[in-house]
Short mmCIF file of all heavy atoms in Angstrom, two decimals:
data_model
loop_
_atom_site.label_atom_id
_atom_site.label_comp_id
_atom_site.label_asym_id
_atom_site.label_seq_id
_atom_site.Cartn_x
_atom_site.Cartn_y
_atom_site.Cartn_z
N ALA D 1 16.45 169.75 18.19
CA ALA D 1 15.02 169.52 17.84
C ALA D 1 14.77 168.93 16.51
O ALA D 1 13.82 168.09 16.34
CB ALA D 1 14.25 170.89 17.94
N SER D 2 15.65 169.22 15.54
CA SER D 2 15.49 168.65 14.21
C SER D 2 15.87 167.18 14.22
O SER D 2 15.39 166.41 13.38
CB SER D 2 16.39 169.33 13.20
OG SER D 2 17.70 169.27 13.57
N ARG D 3 16.67 166.69 15.21
CA ARG D 3 17.08 165.30 15.19
C ARG D 3 16.30 164.54 16.22
O ARG D 3 15.99 163.33 15.99
CB ARG D 3 18.58 165.28 15.62
CG ARG D 3 19.53 166.01 14.66
CD ARG D 3 20.98 165.70 14.98
NE ARG D 3 21.29 165.97 16.42
CZ ARG D 3 21.70 167.15 16.84
NH1 ARG D 3 21.80 168.20 15.96
NH2 ARG D 3 22.02 167.34 18.09
N GLN D 4 15.94 165.14 17.40
CA GLN D 4 15.19 164.45 18.42
C GLN D 4 14.06 165.30 18.89
O GLN D 4 14.10 165.93 20.00
CB GLN D 4 16.10 164.00 19.55
CG GLN D 4 17.19 163.06 19.19
CD GLN D 4 18.15 162.81 20.39
OE1 GLN D 4 19.14 163.49 20.53
NE2 GLN D 4 17.84 161.77 21.19
N PRO D 5 12.99 165.48 18.13
CA PRO D 5 11.95 166.43 18.53
C PRO D 5 11.26 166.08 19.84
O PRO D 5 10.86 167.04 20.51
CB PRO D 5 10.93 166.33 17.33
CG PRO D 5 11.28 165.04 16.65
CD PRO D 5 12.76 164.78 16.86
N ASP D 6 11.15 164.76 20.20
CA ASP D 6 10.55 164.49 21.47
C ASP D 6 11.33 164.96 22.68
O ASP D 6 10.82 165.29 23.72
CB ASP D 6 10.37 162.93 21.55
CG ASP D 6 9.30 162.39 20.69
OD1 ASP D 6 8.55 163.18 20.02
OD2 ASP D 6 9.31 161.17 20.51
N LEU D 7 12.60 165.07 22.42
CA LEU D 7 13.50 165.52 23.59
C LEU D 7 13.33 166.93 24.01
O LEU D 7 13.53 167.28 25.17
CB LEU D 7 15.01 165.21 23.21
CG LEU D 7 16.01 165.17 24.32
CD1 LEU D 7 15.66 164.09 25.35
CD2 LEU D 7 17.38 164.94 23.76
N VAL D 8 12.97 167.81 23.06
CA VAL D 8 12.85 169.22 23.36
C VAL D 8 11.44 169.59 23.64
O VAL D 8 11.16 170.80 23.77
CB VAL D 8 13.50 170.02 22.23
CG1 VAL D 8 14.97 169.82 22.02
CG2 VAL D 8 12.71 169.78 20.91
N GLU D 9 10.56 168.63 23.78
CA GLU D 9 9.20 168.95 24.16
C GLU D 9 9.17 169.39 25.71
O GLU D 9 9.86 168.80 26.47
CB GLU D 9 8.22 167.72 24.03
CG GLU D 9 7.74 167.54 22.63
CD GLU D 9 6.63 166.49 22.63
OE1 GLU D 9 5.86 166.42 23.59
OE2 GLU D 9 6.53 165.79 21.60
N ASN D 10 8.43 170.41 25.96
CA ASN D 10 8.31 170.93 27.33
C ASN D 10 9.69 171.31 27.94
O ASN D 10 9.91 171.09 29.11
CB ASN D 10 7.60 169.96 28.27
CG ASN D 10 6.30 169.43 27.68
OD1 ASN D 10 5.46 170.26 27.29
ND2 ASN D 10 6.12 168.13 27.65
N LEU D 11 10.60 171.80 27.07
CA LEU D 11 11.99 172.09 27.48
C LEU D 11 11.95 173.26 28.40
O LEU D 11 11.35 174.30 28.07
CB LEU D 11 12.81 172.34 26.23
CG LEU D 11 14.31 172.19 26.51
CD1 LEU D 11 14.74 170.78 26.70
CD2 LEU D 11 15.12 172.82 25.33
N GLY D 12 12.60 173.19 29.51
CA GLY D 12 12.81 174.26 30.45
C GLY D 12 14.11 174.33 31.11
O GLY D 12 14.79 173.30 31.31
N LEU D 13 14.65 175.51 31.46
CA LEU D 13 15.93 175.66 32.07
C LEU D 13 15.79 175.13 33.53
O LEU D 13 14.97 175.47 34.29
CB LEU D 13 16.37 177.10 32.07
CG LEU D 13 17.72 177.42 32.69
CD1 LEU D 13 18.87 176.83 31.89
CD2 LEU D 13 17.92 178.91 32.87
N ALA D 14 16.79 174.26 33.86
CA ALA D 14 16.81 173.68 35.18
C ALA D 14 17.98 174.20 36.04
O ALA D 14 17.79 174.45 37.27
CB ALA D 14 16.97 172.15 35.10
N PHE D 15 19.13 174.43 35.41
CA PHE D 15 20.28 174.85 36.20
C PHE D 15 21.29 175.52 35.32
O PHE D 15 21.35 175.24 34.03
CB PHE D 15 20.91 173.59 36.84
CG PHE D 15 22.04 173.93 37.84
CD1 PHE D 15 21.73 174.32 39.07
CD2 PHE D 15 23.35 173.80 37.41
CE1 PHE D 15 22.69 174.64 40.02
CE2 PHE D 15 24.33 174.10 38.34
CZ PHE D 15 24.01 174.51 39.67
N ALA D 16 22.01 176.44 35.83
CA ALA D 16 23.10 177.12 35.04
C ALA D 16 24.36 177.32 35.98
O ALA D 16 24.10 177.40 37.22
CB ALA D 16 22.66 178.39 34.45
N ALA D 17 25.51 177.33 35.41
CA ALA D 17 26.67 177.53 36.23
C ALA D 17 27.80 178.17 35.42
O ALA D 17 27.95 177.81 34.20
CB ALA D 17 27.22 176.25 36.79
N PHE D 18 28.52 179.03 36.07
CA PHE D 18 29.64 179.72 35.35
C PHE D 18 30.94 178.99 35.59
O PHE D 18 31.09 178.26 36.59
CB PHE D 18 29.81 181.12 35.88
CG PHE D 18 28.80 182.06 35.50
CD1 PHE D 18 27.63 182.29 36.30
CD2 PHE D 18 28.82 182.91 34.39
CE1 PHE D 18 26.62 183.21 35.96
CE2 PHE D 18 27.90 183.81 34.00
CZ PHE D 18 26.75 183.96 34.84
N SER D 19 31.86 179.19 34.67
CA SER D 19 33.29 178.69 34.88
C SER D 19 33.86 179.57 36.03
O SER D 19 33.30 180.67 36.33
CB SER D 19 34.13 178.84 33.60
OG SER D 19 34.15 180.15 33.16
N PRO D 20 34.99 179.14 36.60
CA PRO D 20 35.52 179.88 37.74
C PRO D 20 35.85 181.36 37.37
O PRO D 20 35.68 182.26 38.23
CB PRO D 20 36.82 179.19 38.03
CG PRO D 20 36.53 177.77 37.67
CD PRO D 20 35.69 177.87 36.44
N ASP D 21 36.20 181.65 36.08
CA ASP D 21 36.55 183.05 35.73
C ASP D 21 35.38 183.75 35.18
O ASP D 21 35.45 184.91 34.75
CB ASP D 21 37.72 183.03 34.77
CG ASP D 21 37.35 182.35 33.43
OD1 ASP D 21 36.29 181.79 33.36
OD2 ASP D 21 38.24 182.31 32.59
N GLY D 22 34.14 183.07 35.13
CA GLY D 22 32.96 183.80 34.70
C GLY D 22 32.80 184.00 33.19
O GLY D 22 32.00 184.74 32.72
N THR D 23 33.66 183.31 32.34
CA THR D 23 33.64 183.53 30.99
C THR D 23 32.79 182.44 30.18
O THR D 23 32.43 182.73 29.04
CB THR D 23 35.05 183.53 30.29
OG1 THR D 23 35.71 182.30 30.69
CG2 THR D 23 35.86 184.70 31.02
N LEU D 24 32.49 181.34 30.82
CA LEU D 24 31.65 180.30 30.21
C LEU D 24 30.49 180.02 31.05
O LEU D 24 30.55 180.04 32.25
CB LEU D 24 32.53 178.99 30.06
CG LEU D 24 33.62 178.96 29.04
CD1 LEU D 24 34.40 177.67 29.19
CD2 LEU D 24 33.04 179.05 27.59
N LEU D 25 29.32 179.78 30.37
CA LEU D 25 28.10 179.46 31.10
C LEU D 25 27.56 178.09 30.63
O LEU D 25 27.31 177.84 29.49
CB LEU D 25 27.06 180.55 30.84
CG LEU D 25 25.72 180.39 31.52
CD1 LEU D 25 25.93 180.54 33.02
CD2 LEU D 25 24.73 181.48 31.01
N GLY D 26 27.52 177.16 31.62
CA GLY D 26 26.93 175.88 31.32
C GLY D 26 25.45 175.91 31.61
O GLY D 26 25.02 176.49 32.63
N LEU D 27 24.72 175.31 30.78
CA LEU D 27 23.21 175.33 30.96
C LEU D 27 22.68 173.90 30.94
O LEU D 27 22.99 173.15 29.99
CB LEU D 27 22.60 176.15 29.76
CG LEU D 27 23.06 177.63 29.72
CD1 LEU D 27 23.03 178.16 28.32
CD2 LEU D 27 22.12 178.45 30.61
N ALA D 28 21.74 173.55 31.79
CA ALA D 28 21.09 172.33 31.88
C ALA D 28 19.69 172.54 31.75
O ALA D 28 19.01 173.38 32.39
CB ALA D 28 21.38 171.65 33.25
N TYR D 29 19.00 171.71 30.87
CA TYR D 29 17.58 171.83 30.51
C TYR D 29 16.94 170.48 30.80
O TYR D 29 17.56 169.46 30.76
CB TYR D 29 17.31 172.12 29.09
CG TYR D 29 17.91 173.47 28.65
CD1 TYR D 29 19.18 173.61 28.24
CD2 TYR D 29 17.08 174.56 28.60
CE1 TYR D 29 19.72 174.79 27.80
CE2 TYR D 29 17.60 175.83 28.18
CZ TYR D 29 18.89 175.90 27.77
OH TYR D 29 19.41 177.14 27.38
#
């Protein structure tokens, strides 16, 4: 947000996914 404030306007979570072993969580906004 400090570098690209327009990009984080109206930001919302769209999708999430775990790694096969469930230790990492990828997040898409």
Side-chain angles (χ1 to χ4, degrees):
S2 63
R3 303 189 305 273
Q4 297 175 272
D6 290 348
L7 196 59
V8 296
E9 279 192 33
N10 307 312
L11 198 73
L13 181 68
F15 189 79
F18 288 91
S19 59
D21 61 1
T23 59
L24 290 172
L25 182 64
L27 298 150
Y29 299 84

